[in-house]
Amino acid sequence: MATTVPAGAHAAPKPKPAAGAAGAASVTATPGIIDVPPTDPRFPDLVRGTNQRWVANPEKVRMVTTPTQAETAVRDAVTAGKRLTVRSGGHCYEDFVFNSQVQIVVDLSAMNQVYYDPAMNAFAIEAGASNLQVYETLYKLYGVTLPAGSCHSVGAGGHISGGGYGLLSRQLGLTVDYLHAVEVVVVRSNGTVETVRASRDSTGELKDLWWAHTGGGGGNFGLITRYWMRTPGATGTDPTALLPKPPSEVFLNAISLPWPQMDQRDFETLVKNWGRWHAANSAPDSPYAGLFGLLKLNANAGTGSSIGLITQMDAVTHPNARTLLNNYLTEITAGVSITPQAMTSPMGEHAALPGFDKTRRLPWYIATDYLSGGNPTLYGKYKSSYARQALPSFQIAALWQHLSAPQPDGLEALVQIDSYGCKVNTVASDATAVPQRDSVLKLQYQAYWTDPAKEATGLAWIRNLYKAVYAETGGVPVPNFTNDGCYVNYPDKDLGDPAFNTSQETWGSLYYKANFARLKTAKRAWDPTNFFRHAQSIPLQ
């Protein structure tokens, strides 16, 4: 059945061009759908993501390379009554894609083209494209970029639909702030499967579908095949003027503070300095909009372990950038008795940066490539929160208590506190599905282990820490003067479990706040049979 587009949508998709070649026909033959059954040697690689906790055993994995093939895969599953999930980059922290109920996995990793689409006058990004593929194509061919994430292998399908942020977000906003249109395979109430496009300029239910993909999360409304990105209000047809340009060069600095020299006073001083600095320097017009820092509060593992601070600063936009950076580093470490050292303890998604305790100036793309990371061999559990202010003393004390204590054998853990605010906070809370638009910090709680037998230990550790930090609000970051809920791209099934969330807030309100109701409206319109679902998918009611 041919791809159909309802009234009000754009024309049906045309054959995709090769990456970067606007309007050019592909020079290679497009394969049909490739089915990978359990007997295929590729199968074990295709039924798990980067979090090794989640492994599925579907009847088959279907590799697709075009929107038409994606539509066919969905239609086949609907006709056969099969439970289907979709993988783009494989970075989902929970078992939303790979679980025991899934019967068909549609893998979009080969749908990874990034190109300027003259018909849409916007940049097309297929759902399987990775962050690094997006950065490389946009920048090297057109000199533009998006303020997306730093982990190189994250797929666009989930990253963009969940909001997307990264080291340029204080300067440029969120990734979804540039979403012009989205193409989605949907299932109607009568079982009809069709591909629709919804854009910022759409009206009615189509506008709701576009809006739902500006932070509503993946796996909720349909199978996303591609996005089109363009700066709102951009005019003309010059591709180099349709998205923002990154700074041509950035300063990078990476220091560590060894745990063996750390005491409670130093720890509390550091975290208080961090919060107060961001509360004072996160306005949209701040001269520090070009600065993004990552405070990596690694758990104390004894000799050789440390707390890390990675900083990227736009080196060209502000004439006093180097002085601003130096002042920032001085303020963050003021009153801390430990002498900063070169970073040697990586932890999390960013590689160690030996020698960067002396600030270095690098071309932006080289720095972006250098900072990208990710480890696909770990088991992990994650949690998140937003902070509108500096962390209060009782939260910092809880962090100290859990991070400074002797750590369980075989567990690596940290709390990473990222810079936020500035341009992010210039958008209204209901203009996109991302409601957190007045925070200055974003926190990610992370626990890792390599031995699956350590799972109970890892889960207990991170759950106890999170519960202690948010003890005053039922064990979760209920929006108030300081907290502002959670980030859907760091999903956490514990938010829906009364054993871990004793507040009156549901997981939906913690992710979406007042926007949850409109997301339900979009769900009822575009996925009325709840075909696309997972443990925390948008409900119909």
Side-chain angles (χ1 to χ4, degrees), residues 111-146:
M111 281 185 62
N112 56 16
Q113 300 295 295
V114 181
Y115 55 95
Y116 171 63
D117 183 345
M120 298 284 284
N121 196 29
F123 288 95
I125 298 174
E126 293 185 339
S130 70
N131 276 337
L132 200 59
Q133 288 172 314
V134 172
Y135 291 143
E136 183 172 26
T137 301
L138 292 181
Y139 189 60
K140 291 186 177 180
L141 296 184
Y142 302 100
V144 299
T145 194
L146 287 168

Side-chain angles (χ1 to χ4, degrees), residues 137-173:
T137 301
L138 292 181
Y139 189 60
K140 291 186 177 180
L141 296 184
Y142 302 100
V144 299
T145 194
L146 287 168
S150 56
C151 185
H152 69 92
S153 56
V154 168
H159 184 65
I160 296 175
S161 61
Y165 82 105
L167 275 67
L168 292 178
S169 284
R170 278 167 57 92
Q171 194 166 10
L172 302 177

Side-chain angles (χ1 to χ4, degrees), residues 11-12 127 135 154 168 186 257 309 361 391 400 405 421 424 460 485 526 541:
Y135 291 143
V154 168
L168 292 178
V186 297
L257 304 173
L309 175 61
R361 184 169 181 151
L391 301 187
W400 163 260
V424 174
W526 292 102
Q541 301 296 332

Side-chain angles (χ1 to χ4, degrees), residues 6 33 64 78 155 184 255 258 284 289 332 372 377 407 409 428 434 460 473 489 503:
I33 296 177
V64 300
V78 170
V184 193
I255 58 176
I332 296 299
S372 66
T377 64
Q407 301 303 309
D409 181 56
V434 179
T473 52
N489 268 359
S503 76

Side-chain angles (χ1 to χ4, degrees), residues 458-472:
L459 293 178
W461 185 92
I462 194 170
R463 285 168 172 167
N464 288 335
L465 167 60
Y466 199 70
K467 178 181 179 180
V469 173
Y470 303 107
E472 292 194 354

Side-chain angles (χ1 to χ4, degrees), residues 477-522:
V478 173
N480 59 16
F481 180 75
T482 299
N483 310 320
D484 203 22
C486 305
Y487 180 40
V488 71
N489 268 359
Y490 300 159
D492 175 16
K493 290 202 298 185
D494 289 351
L495 297 176
D497 189 333
F500 309 111
N501 177 4
T502 60
S503 76
Q504 299 301 307
E505 300 290 332
T506 66
W507 61 262
S509 62
L510 288 167
Y511 290 139
Y512 306 116
K513 299 171 59 177
N515 289 340
F516 197 27
R518 186 176 176 186
L519 289 169
K520 292 178 183 178
T521 298

